[in-house]
Amino acid sequence: MNKKKIINDPVYGFISIPTELVFDLIEHPYFQRLRYIKQLGMTHLVYPGALHTRFHHALGAMYLMGMAIETLRNKGHEVSHEEEEAVIIAILLHDIGHGPFSHALEETIVEGISHEDISAMLMSKLNMEFGGRLTMAIEIFKGHYPREFLHQLVSSQLDMDRMDYLNRDSFFTGVSEGVISSDRIIKMLNVKDDQIAVEEKGIYSVEKFLIARRLMYWQVYLHKTVIAAEQLLARIMKRSRELTLKGENVFTTPALSHFLRKPISSGAFMNEGHHLEAFATLDDTDIMAAIKVWATHDDWVLSKLCQDMVYRNLYKVDITNQPPNKQVIEKLTAKAMAKYGITAHEASYFVFEDTIRNNAYRPGDGNIRILMKDGTIKDITAASDNSNLEALAKTVKKYILCYKKELV
């Protein structure tokens, strides 16, 4: 069988699959599942073009990794073919543990376990299937491989994951503020003391990258209507689980049933293999099929939430710098109880508060290093003459109040 395939990608053009092992991993059901998981959760309800998937993104990140390794080799850094294949596999599989709708349901399906942890577990299973050929890739992914710069290409504040998702998400949403000079940044990469650094002449491209990331967060990832849709989705899952645990009849697909019928702790998920196998068959289609059926469920709260999702009748979201006024929340809750004839607990599905956080750059958390012309290393915030970068390093915390529009 010919495994030298070429994939036509709308962002980068033609992407070649570099080795037969990489081809076999792409063909595996664990990876093919990513075709049915949207990269941006519910963002398509705001930006209709945002229907691209984790499958798209993983292939794009793989392509950029190939470019990065080629750049470093051209600058005299030795990377063996085994290391190249391993770091490409590490980035290819870095998101394999994402659940339905990506981040939107991360804490809802299995509590207390991140998608990175699940990715590592699935990679370990694949390693057994492929006779240990992923061992180096897993070491790089976890940061245990001796050459630290390889891990930084997979996971850092200037990694191939972020480079691709900014390129890809801005392309599919049409938000031009997210466009970055990924080609130039990659061409400026170097290694100093086993750490990835960007040559000084690439500093403005890195500044643009950080600013683009901040703009994409507030304009796309944390857009108030996206938040409204993702909060609604989370409330639907919470209500369906609440009813299921009470013993009420709630339609589910077999994969979704596994996670609704009983709470699964992070410890159980990590230690009992059948949970991982069930997770590996769960994707967006399980959730949407259930929501369409639940829209006619006997439970008024669940059916109302699902109808609102299907017909895009989303929450009103107020985003503020201070916690919302408790009296306002109480007033809205009382209105919901009176209008819908429901209890205070049921009203909490229609009026609630939460917080959101964002920082475009975290100094000290795998700093972005600039390699100066004299050979010294500086953090981007020290090397740049752009005072705005220090502001980007601050965590911005905002408060959100969600409620049904008809309550006002």
Side-chain angles (χ1 to χ4, degrees):
M1 180 183 177
N2 175 26
K3 297 182 180 181
K4 298 282 187 185
K5 301 294 183 185
I6 295 173
I7 297 164
N8 195 348
D9 179 68
V11 178
Y12 306 121
F14 291 110
I15 295 176
S16 299
I17 296 177
T19 69
E20 291 195 359
L21 175 57
V22 171
F23 175 87
D24 291 338
L25 288 168
I26 291 171
E27 289 283 282
H28 194 280
Y30 287 174
F31 192 81
Q32 289 293 315
R33 163 182 166 270
L34 298 182
R35 289 182 183 273
Y36 310 105
I37 294 178
K38 291 184 187 66
Q39 169 82 0
L40 291 182
M42 306 306 294
T43 306
H44 64 284
L45 294 180
V46 180
Y47 298 100
L51 291 165
H52 55 303
T53 65
R54 290 279 155 186
F55 185 87
H56 277 138
H57 163 58
L59 293 176
M62 176 190 79
Y63 169 78
L64 294 181
M65 184 64 79
M67 283 180 58
I69 295 300
E70 182 185 6
T71 295
L72 296 180
R73 277 191 179 138
N74 288 342
K75 293 180 180 179
H77 301 289
E78 194 171 314
V79 179
S80 69
H81 290 297
E82 292 77 17
E83 288 172 331
E84 179 182 19
E85 183 179 62
V87 77
I88 280 173
I89 289 170
I91 196 69
L92 181 74
L93 302 181
H94 77 284
D95 273 348
I96 203 170
H98 262 295
F101 293 102
S102 295
H103 294 284
L105 293 179
E106 187 155 1
E107 278 293 315
T108 308
I109 302 293
V110 183
E111 292 180 15
I113 187 165
S114 69
H115 73 271
E116 291 92 351
D117 294 331
I118 300 174
S119 291
M121 293 171 71
L122 289 171
M123 287 167 75
S124 294
K125 291 212 70 167
L126 286 169
N127 197 30
M128 286 190 280
E129 277 189 46
F130 284 87
R133 295 167 71 193
L134 274 65
T135 301
M136 189 187 293
I138 293 169
E139 288 178 353
I140 291 171
F141 178 76
K142 292 182 174 179
H144 298 161
Y145 191 69
R147 306 188 79 186
E148 192 177 344
F149 76 89
L150 292 174
H151 171 71
Q152 290 171 356
L153 290 173
V154 176
S155 180
S156 66
Q157 295 200 66
L158 195 67
D159 56 31
M160 299 306 112
D161 171 28
R162 293 183 186 196
M163 296 252 204
D164 180 77
Y165 78 59
L166 287 174
N167 273 333
R168 193 165 300 277
D169 296 349
S170 60
F171 178 90
F172 281 97
T173 57
V175 176
S176 58
E177 287 84 354
V179 176
I180 60 167
S181 310
S182 56
D183 282 11
R184 178 162 172 79
I185 293 173
I186 288 172
K187 295 297 182 193
M188 295 296 110
L189 291 181
N190 213 321
V191 177
K192 171 89 172 181
D193 301 326
D194 197 34
Q195 307 282 312
I196 285 290
V198 180
E199 292 166 3
E200 187 178 352
K201 56 192 172 184
I203 194 166
Y204 299 119
S205 299
V206 176
E207 287 179 7
K208 171 74 165 56
F209 165 86
L210 290 172
I211 292 165
R213 189 163 179 264
R214 176 181 176 273
L215 293 174
M216 284 293 284
Y217 264 89
W218 293 120
Q219 204 162 328
V220 177
Y221 310 133
L222 296 177
H223 186 290
K224 66 190 312 185
T225 312
V226 173
I227 290 171
E230 296 190 344
Q231 289 283 354
L232 178 57
L233 182 61
R235 290 301 179 284
I236 288 170
M237 298 310 297
K238 182 181 175 184
R239 184 63 174 179
S240 64
R241 174 173 280 161
E242 186 179 317
L243 295 174
T244 304
L245 294 177
K246 282 183 186 173
E248 295 197 27
N249 184 32
V250 177
F251 165 84
T252 57
T253 63
L256 181 56
S257 172
H258 185 93
F259 295 96
L260 285 187
R261 300 284 171 212
K262 60 177 182 179
I264 299 167
S265 68
S266 56
F269 191 91
M270 299 285 279
N271 297 314
E272 299 167 19
H274 63 289
H275 298 310
L276 185 65
E277 283 306 312
F279 186 88
T281 63
L282 189 65
D283 59 42
D284 292 8
T285 55
D286 293 275
I287 307 296
M288 283 313 300
I291 287 173
K292 288 173 74 176
V293 174
W294 295 341
T296 57
H297 195 274
D298 291 340
D299 179 74
W300 184 85
V301 173
L302 182 60
S303 66
K304 169 71 172 158
L305 293 170
C306 292
Q307 287 169 27
D308 286 348
M309 175 62 80
V310 171
Y311 301 120
R312 198 189 176 279
N313 181 19
L314 306 175
Y315 296 113
K316 177 88 169 64
V317 177
D318 295 338
I319 301 180
T320 54
N321 294 321
Q322 301 297 325
N325 188 306
K326 294 294 181 188
Q327 289 179 320
V328 171
I329 297 173
E330 288 168 8
K331 193 174 177 182
L332 287 167
T333 301
K335 273 191 178 181
M337 291 167 67
K339 184 176 180 65
Y340 303 139
I342 55 178
T343 65
H345 170 67
E346 289 169 335
S348 70
Y349 284 97
F350 302 100
V351 180
F352 54 88
E353 58 182 314
D354 207 339
T355 57
I356 51 176
R357 288 178 174 82
N358 176 37
N359 53 358
Y361 181 61
R362 297 191 301 274
D365 180 22
N367 301 33
I368 296 178
R369 300 166 186 82
I370 303 298
L371 178 59
M372 309 303 286
K373 290 188 176 72
D374 61 5
T376 59
I377 293 286
K378 286 187 179 179
D379 182 86
I380 179 67
T381 53
S384 169
D385 56 8
N386 186 344
S387 58
N388 288 338
L389 290 191
E390 291 190 11
L392 294 183
K394 293 176 182 172
T395 299
V396 178
K397 179 180 178 180
K398 291 186 181 288
Y399 298 86
I400 60 171
L401 173 61
C402 299
Y403 52 93
K404 295 306 295 176
K405 294 172 186 174
E406 61 257 32
L407 297 178
V408 178

